[in-house]
Every structure is written in C-alpha cells, then in structure tokens.
Amino acid sequence: MGHPLAFILATLCCILWAVSGPVFHYSNTWQLVINTATTVLTFLAVFLIQKQPEPRRAAIQAKLDELLRAANKARPEFIGIEHLTDGEICAIRDAPEREAGKGDAEAESADASVDELLARRSGAE
C-alpha cells in the first residue's frame, strides 16, 4: 500500500469513479461503491501499519541500547525498560525531568529516586 504504484492505481480508480458519475446519474449505489472501497482499504491498511514498523522499532531500540552501553555516564539499567508497564516507564521518564528542574541538593535526592526506580526494575527481573 505504501508503494508509489499503489498510490497511482488508487488515484486512477478515484478519477475513474468520479468520471463515471454522470453515467450512473450520481446514484446512491455509485456513491456506495467508493465509500465501501475506501472503508475496506482503510481497515486493511490499519493492520499493515500496525505490523510494519516492528523491525524498525526493534532496530532503533538495539541502537539506543548500544549507545547506553557506550556512554560513560549513562545508566545501564535503562537498557530494556521498553518491556516495563506504561506506569513504570512514566515514573522512570518523569524522574529525570524532575531532576533537571531542581537545584544540586534536590537533584541528588531526585537522582536517588531514579536509581531506586531502576533498582526495583532490576530486582523484579
């Protein structure tokens, strides 16, 4: 569906449908043809879109994990957090944001909270 030829074919079908309007006197059936076709194609496209990015997403995640391993100050505990629940990920994501907005003394306590969250994650595995 993402191929240029598919786009050209879909465009030609729409043009053909529009041109055929006077022949079919712009009837309800004529309108139903394009409505049904576009609905079915949209329904099928949802499944293609859902499945398509998986290999790319996995490749991006592997690259990010490698960057975490290579970075001196990175916390290796962040590797694999994509497998956590949404709530756990939000808590881990929000902690560094809070940490960045606080002073040095407060940042140390916020830093500990990030470490605690990551330690809980490591302990749960």
Side-chain angles (χ1 to χ4, degrees):
M1 285 193 138
H3 196 274
L5 187 59
F7 176 78
I8 292 169
L9 182 63
T11 303
L12 289 174
C13 285
C14 288
I15 291 170
L16 181 65
W17 170 81
V19 169
S20 70
V23 175
F24 294 101
H25 307 290
Y26 301 101
S27 68
N28 286 339
T29 303
W30 173 79
Q31 292 178 26
L32 189 61
V33 166
I34 197 72
N35 289 340
T36 303
T38 56
T39 301
V40 168
L41 289 174
T42 302
F43 177 76
L44 295 174
V46 167
F47 294 102
L48 286 175
I49 290 168
Q50 289 292 326
K51 191 60 183 160
Q52 196 66 15
E54 283 302 317
R56 290 187 194 134
R57 196 174 307 149
I60 290 170
Q61 193 59 52
K63 290 175 185 180
L64 289 171
D65 287 349
E66 185 60 25
L67 287 172
L68 282 172
R69 283 186 204 96
N72 290 335
K73 292 186 177 184
R75 297 178 182 122
E77 296 85 7
F78 271 92
I79 295 172
I81 66 168
E82 68 273 9
H83 302 291
L84 299 176
T85 66
D86 289 343
E88 292 169 323
I89 291 173
C90 286
I92 291 172
R93 182 198 65 211
D94 292 343
E97 290 175 2
R98 284 190 311 271
E99 177 182 318
K102 296 187 176 189
D104 290 339
E106 293 176 90
E108 287 180 21
S109 65
D111 194 27
S113 67
V114 173
D115 290 336
E116 289 171 14
L117 290 167
L118 292 172
R120 274 188 252 150
R121 177 200 162 260
S122 297
E125 291 178 349

